[in-house]
């Protein structure tokens, strides 16, 4: 799609009535949004077709003019789609580029399209339609990511790994349970997306410049034609808020934060030191100097994309925070933030879905790590409470002495002899060894939402039914 900037200085054909001369070159440059808002061409044309159809239905324009307008708009749509449309910066934005081309194609009837509307409600409409479609796409992509995690969780419902707090080995968990933690996070992100779709599902067109219009328009008709639940209820709010875009960015930032934590875990897990997972060749890169290396670049970039998304959110919040009602041109700066964040989020979700599906899980490494670091110490304390009737605080103290002894002997808790353990507390019997293995530890944690394989399977079927 070419952009021409060769037009001579003349007053604007859309609003030039009271202007003697055209804009300064710098004015044109700072004012123009066509470089980025041409992305809204399909939404703009869809909105104009619905608007013209409603105007004719209400007897505001003739049906002959409506037919010419709709035909012309469809021609423009195929011109743009096939790359045969010349965008002009002198015509500022997508709305005026399309309207000017319509005038060339169909003559004076084109001038009737802008009856009972303004670019203020037009841009609010186009942008809402775009964000709505993007949210729907995000919803589908999150569903794909959740499905990838459900498959891995099912496969690894019994695989033990260390659970961490402070990135120090805490208690054994199952890898399936860890995967399901991400299912919960991305499930909440997806429900935030669904709520955002509900919030923005109101049609702005017909709010006109800010005050509504004296023409007998039917805003319910255009709302329905454009797939919105209903028209917006306040024309000033309609043209002056961009909270739907900010809501998209907030959701993207939260989902980005989740994706980034996952990326960070993958970076750590794929180091030779951890060796918990091996990324597929498809999602890693080599080093040009160190032949042995396999780098988790995709995960690192997912982690970094989150920074861009956060930047977009803060940028738009800052752009909007000082604006008096209703429209101000500042609001034109909303689109690039949203377009950039949407591209980053899509890429991040797609890359993560691929990595999660493709990575090889090293269950032997995970299991070995799960048993190190006295990870079943809590199980020993719980056993003393349950079987020997000790108060938990005393059991904690006794266990601490057992850990110190094992540490001094350079062995695991399960490797201490019964006489060693009985020297620490006489109530200990050989039954204690049943809880000191990592498998016994995870199997015992059957509390609702706990890490026992039986619980993890319940969580998986809960989510399968909702995905
Ligand atoms: N390009 C403009 C934008 O993105 C369209 C709305 C222009 N409205 C106006 N009153 N100048 O916001």
């Amino acid at each position: 799609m070419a952009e021409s900037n060769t037009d001579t200085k003349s007053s604007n054909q859309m609003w030039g009535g009271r202007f003697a001369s055209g804009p300064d070159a710098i004015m044109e440059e700072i004012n123009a949004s066509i470089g980025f808002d041409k992305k809204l061409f399909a939404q703009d044309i869809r909105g104009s077709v619905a608007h013209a159809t409603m105007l004719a239905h209400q007897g505001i324009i003739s049906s002959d003019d409506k037919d010419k307008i709709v035909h012309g708009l469809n021609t423009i749509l195929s011109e743009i789609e096939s790359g045969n449309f010349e965008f002009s910066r002198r015509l500022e934005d997508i709305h005026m580029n399309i309207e000017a081309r319509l005038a060339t194609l169909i003559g004076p009837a084109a001038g009737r399209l802008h009856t009972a509307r303004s670019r203020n409600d037009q841009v609010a409409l186009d942008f809402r339609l775009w964000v709505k479609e993007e949210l729907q796409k995000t919803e589908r992509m999150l569903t794909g990511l959740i499905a990838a995690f459900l498959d891995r969780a099912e496969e690894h419902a019994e695989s033990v790994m260390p659970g961490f707090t402070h990135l120090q080995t805490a208690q054994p968990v199952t890898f399936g349970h860890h995967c399901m933690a991400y299912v919960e996070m991305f499930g909440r992100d997806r429900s935030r997306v669904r709520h955002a779709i509900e919030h923005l599902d109101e049609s702005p067109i017909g709010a006109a410049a800010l005050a509504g219009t004296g023409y007998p328009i039917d805003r319910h008709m255009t709302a329905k034609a454009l797939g919105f639940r209903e028209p917006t209820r306040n024309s000033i709010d309609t043209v002056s808020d961009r909270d739907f875009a900010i809501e998209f960015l907030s959701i993207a930032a939260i989902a980005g934060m989740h994706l980034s934590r996952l990326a960070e875990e993958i970076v750590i897990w794929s180091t030779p030191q951890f060796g918990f997972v091996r990324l597929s060749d498809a999602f890693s890169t080599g080093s040009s100097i160190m032949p042995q290396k396999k780098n988790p670049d995709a995960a690192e970039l997912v982690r970094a994309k989150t920074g861009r998304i956060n930047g977009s959110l803060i940028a738009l919040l800052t752009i909007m925070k000082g604006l008096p009602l209703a429209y101000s041109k500042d609001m034109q700066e909303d689109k690039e933030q949203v377009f950039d964040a949407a591209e980053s989020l899509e890429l991040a979700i797609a890359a993560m879905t691929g990595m999660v599906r493709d990575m090889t899980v090293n269950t032997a490494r995970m299991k070995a790590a799960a048993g190190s670091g006295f990870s079943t110490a809590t199980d020993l304390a719980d056993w003393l409470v349950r079987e020997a009737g000790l108060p938990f605080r005393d059991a904690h103290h006794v266990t601490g002495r057992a850990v110190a002894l094992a540490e001094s002997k350079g062995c695991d808790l399960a490797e201490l002899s019964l006489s060693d353990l009985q020297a620490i507390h006489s109530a200990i019997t050989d039954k204690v060894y049943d809880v000191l293995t990592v498998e016994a530890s995870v199997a015992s944690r059957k509390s609702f939402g706990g890490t026992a394989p039986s619980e993890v399977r319940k969580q998986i079927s809960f989510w399968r039914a909702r995905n």
Side-chain angles (χ1 to χ4, degrees):
M1 293 188 220
E3 230 172 284
S4 100
N5 188 25
T6 53
D7 311 83
T8 50
K9 270 196 184 186
S10 59
S11 74
N12 187 291
Q13 67 182 99
M14 296 297 152
W15 41 256
R18 62 163 296 199
F19 284 72
S21 80
D24 186 89
I26 293 296
M27 176 60 203
E28 189 177 293
E29 193 175 341
I30 195 172
N31 204 30
S33 54
I34 189 62
F36 49 87
D37 68 14
K38 60 184 166 197
K39 233 187 165 78
L40 299 175
F41 74 91
Q43 290 77 9
D44 196 73
I45 289 173
R46 211 167 356 124
S48 289
V49 169
H51 182 66
T53 307
M54 180 279 293
L55 290 177
H57 184 262
Q58 297 298 102
I60 300 167
I61 64 171
S62 71
S63 84
D64 193 38
D65 282 345
K66 183 262 291 181
D67 290 343
K68 284 189 193 137
I69 290 170
V70 171
H71 185 258
L73 287 169
N74 286 330
T75 305
I76 295 170
L77 182 64
S78 41
E79 286 177 353
I80 299 178
E81 280 173 344
S82 60
N84 291 316
F85 187 96
E86 202 176 326
F87 291 99
S88 154
R89 200 171 74 179
R90 191 175 62 85
L91 292 166
E92 246 187 88
D93 57 24
I94 187 64
H95 324 294
M96 299 209 288
N97 268 269
I98 289 177
E99 204 184 318
R101 176 69 184 140
L102 189 63
T104 313
L105 284 173
I106 68 167
R112 301 198 183 276
L113 171 60
H114 214 53
T115 314
R117 80 171 182 188
S118 145
R119 272 189 298 155
N120 296 350
D121 57 342
Q122 193 178 353
V123 73
L125 169 66
D126 296 1
F127 200 29
R128 255 188 212 236
L129 283 171
W130 195 93
V131 172
K132 185 177 169 185
E133 283 160 34
E134 189 60 31
L135 284 165
Q136 287 163 337
K137 189 167 185 185
T138 307
E139 184 184 358
R140 288 193 297 275
M141 294 189 76
L142 285 171
T143 298
L145 178 56
I146 290 169
F149 266 118
L150 286 173
D151 289 347
R152 297 318 303 253
E154 194 139 38
E155 189 187 330
H156 291 286
E158 316 240 351
S159 312
V160 283
M161 69 178 279
F164 300 94
T165 60
H166 314 269
L167 197 54
Q168 306 283 328
T169 302
Q171 292 173 343
V173 295
T174 60
F175 184 56
H177 194 217
H178 198 102
C179 288
M180 292 305 291
Y182 282 105
V183 167
E184 296 286 336
M185 291 178 240
F186 295 122
R188 284 193 298 277
D189 290 333
R190 189 177 55 180
S191 69
R192 269 184 278 275
V193 166
R194 288 175 180 158
H195 281 132
I197 293 173
E198 263 177 54
H199 286 159
L200 66 58
D201 208 7
E202 297 176 347
S203 171
I205 195 75
L210 78 162
T213 175
Y215 293 99
I217 59 170
D218 182 350
R219 294 194 58 211
H220 293 273
M221 180 178 170
T222 38
K224 192 159 177 241
L226 292 164
F228 287 107
R229 191 180 58 232
E230 57 192 332
T232 54
R233 272 177 306 277
N234 181 297
S235 58
I236 296 175
D237 171 52
T238 304
V239 297
S240 64
D241 208 352
R242 290 292 182 266
D243 58 355
F244 65 90
I246 294 173
E247 197 164 357
F248 170 76
L249 292 173
S250 319
I251 292 168
I254 296 175
M257 174 272 297
H258 288 149
L259 287 160
S260 183
R261 294 185 76 176
L262 171 59
E264 171 68 5
E265 295 210 305
I266 289 178
V267 168
I268 294 172
W269 291 345
S270 62
T271 55
Q273 289 76 6
F274 265 77
F276 285 5
V277 300
R278 209 179 129 78
L279 290 175
S280 69
D281 289 352
F283 284 99
S284 36
T285 56
S287 157
S288 52
I289 177 167
M290 295 165 283
Q292 85 282 12
K293 292 203 70 182
K294 194 163 183 192
N295 293 329
D297 293 38
E300 292 166 286
L301 287 163
V302 167
R303 195 170 56 183
K305 294 281 181 204
T306 311
R308 288 175 74 130
I309 296 172
N310 290 352
S312 296
L313 170 63
I314 299 302
L316 190 52
L317 282 169
T318 312
I319 288 164
M320 294 301 296
K321 70 179 269 299
L323 303 185
L325 308 189
Y327 178 86
S328 294
K329 196 62 172 265
D330 311 51
M331 288 159 71
Q332 178 166 285
E333 294 280 317
D334 55 3
K335 292 165 209 68
E336 283 167 294
Q337 304 304 335
V338 169
F339 293 158
D340 188 78
E343 194 181 319
S344 297
L345 183 65
E346 274 184 36
L347 264 173
I349 300 176
M352 255 323 160
T353 308
M355 274 184 272
V356 169
R357 282 213 177 279
D358 282 12
M359 69 190 180
T360 310
V361 179
N362 189 334
T363 49
R365 282 296 288 255
M366 281 186 175
K367 188 179 165 186
S372 72
F374 313 109
S375 67
T376 55
T378 319
D379 299 274
L380 173 55
D382 288 339
W383 187 91
L384 287 163
V385 170
R386 207 171 50 241
E387 305 294 327
L390 268 65
F392 184 78
R393 280 293 155 219
D394 296 349
H396 185 283
H397 185 76
V398 169
T399 305
R401 288 180 54 206
V403 167
L405 182 63
E407 198 165 32
S408 72
K409 293 193 163 197
C411 70
D412 277 339
L413 280 176
E415 285 160 5
L416 289 174
S417 69
L418 187 59
S419 56
D420 278 345
L421 287 168
Q422 282 173 339
I424 296 171
H425 199 285
S426 58
I428 296 178
T429 69
D430 62 353
K431 285 241 211 52
V432 79
Y433 292 103
D434 292 349
V435 302
L436 294 183
T437 67
V438 286
E439 284 83 1
S441 169
V442 295
S444 74
R445 303 207 188 282
K446 289 199 186 78
S447 53
F448 185 82
T451 200
S454 56
E455 259 315 299
V456 172
R457 291 209 172 85
K458 278 187 215 157
Q459 298 160 24
I460 295 171
S461 40
F462 172 91
W463 278 103
R464 286 255 187 240
R466 278 156 192 79
N467 207 40

